[in-house]
Amino acid sequence: MNFIQDASISVKSFFSGIFTTPDYVKLLLEAKNEKDMYLGAIEFSDYITITDPSNDRPTPEKGKFSIEKGTWHGLLSISDEGIWGNRVESLNVFNNKGAEILHKINLKNLDHFNDKFECDSINIAVDSGQLGIFDWESFPEDSFFNSEFTDLYNKACEITESNFGGLLSEGFISCSGFGDGYYTVNYLRDKSTKKIVLFDVEFINDENRETM
């Protein structure tokens, strides 16, 4: 994986001239809450997986997602959850096309884009209080006893023990809202290419707020 930017920074710090992004990425970030975190950008290959880094790599049938190859960005939305403090409400991972769409519309209201894009979702299990979106080829195939697997898990833990999330050489990692459980990942696919351009990991919503 090639890092384009490898530091987790606030949206305000992002605009201090660290590097230049396309206008629609900038517009998207400008619209975010000041507490929200831009995680950086990375080059992904043709496929990614979404999983807790303590789990084995999913089977291709269940966890291999075809995406548009190229530069992808990560953005965390942080919310104040009262006695629970600040928590990660959502993780958005997107390429340039996804950033433009995310800036213009709500992911769940695709009325103006139904001719070009389709939305789908999947539930992902979390067992270690964190979830990541990783390049398929970079995520180790074997179990926890594999040294490469252990290294990835340890690197993820180093980030989430002191931060809401961050960028690894394998992809993006985030704390998972209220901890372990099942979380919904919405994704947007370009109908013409059959490839995904945007992921929205929904950690906190009105439903799970009521159960806390």
Side-chain angles (χ1 to χ4, degrees):
M1 291 297 92
N2 295 319
F3 284 101
I4 296 177
Q5 180 172 334
D6 60 3
S8 299
I9 57 176
S10 69
V11 173
K12 183 176 181 180
S13 299
F14 173 76
F15 295 110
S16 62
I18 295 177
F19 72 101
T20 302
T21 61
D23 286 346
Y24 41 86
V25 174
K26 179 179 178 181
L27 289 171
L28 174 63
L29 297 180
E30 284 178 334
K32 288 294 181 181
N33 187 288
E34 178 65 23
K35 292 191 301 182
D36 296 347
M37 292 177 60
Y38 177 74
L39 300 181
I42 194 171
E43 294 288 326
F44 274 150
S45 59
D46 295 301
Y47 298 95
I48 60 91
T49 190
I50 309 169
T51 187
D52 183 323
S54 70
N55 295 335
D56 290 349
R57 189 172 77 175
T59 62
E61 294 78 15
K62 293 184 177 181
K64 187 176 184 180
F65 297 87
S66 178
I67 66 169
E68 290 193 354
K69 182 178 180 179
T71 305
W72 283 70
H73 303 264
L75 184 67
L76 296 181
S77 292
I78 312 299
S79 63
D80 183 350
E81 298 300 324
I83 62 173
W84 297 100
N86 289 332
R87 297 278 176 156
V88 180
E89 185 174 34
S90 66
L91 166 64
N92 289 324
V93 174
F94 47 88
N95 66 2
N96 293 339
K97 189 184 295 183
E100 184 176 16
I101 296 167
L102 198 58
H103 172 66
K104 292 179 178 179
I105 61 172
N106 184 305
L107 182 60
K108 301 174 186 64
N109 182 11
L110 300 176
D111 293 343
H112 301 295
F113 292 86
N114 284 340
D115 58 333
K116 294 182 179 180
F117 300 95
E118 57 187 2
C119 187
D120 207 343
S121 65
I122 186 173
N123 291 325
I124 302 293
V126 169
D127 299 309
S128 70
Q130 53 189 342
L131 184 143
I133 295 181
F134 306 104
D135 188 87
W136 178 261
E137 296 299 331
S138 298
F139 195 90
E141 291 186 53
D142 297 329
S143 69
F144 194 84
F145 298 102
N146 181 315
S147 61
E148 291 182 359
F149 185 96
T150 305
D151 182 56
L152 169 60
Y153 175 72
N154 288 339
K155 289 189 299 183
C157 290
E158 287 178 6
I159 290 176
T160 57
E161 284 174 357
S162 57
N163 294 282
F164 290 117
L167 181 62
L168 301 165
S169 59
E170 295 84 359
F172 300 98
I173 187 67
S174 171
C175 294
S176 55
F178 292 125
D180 296 348
Y182 283 89
Y183 293 98
T184 299
V185 181
N186 303 296
Y187 53 94
L188 198 65
R189 183 185 293 109
D190 187 323
K191 289 183 178 180
S192 64
T193 64
K194 305 300 182 183
K195 294 182 180 294
I196 297 168
V197 300
L198 168 66
F199 294 93
D200 171 31
V201 185
E202 187 179 342
F203 290 124
I204 298 177
N205 53 37
D206 291 340
E207 183 177 348
N208 61 13
R209 279 191 180 102
E210 292 177 356
T211 64
M212 299 306 295

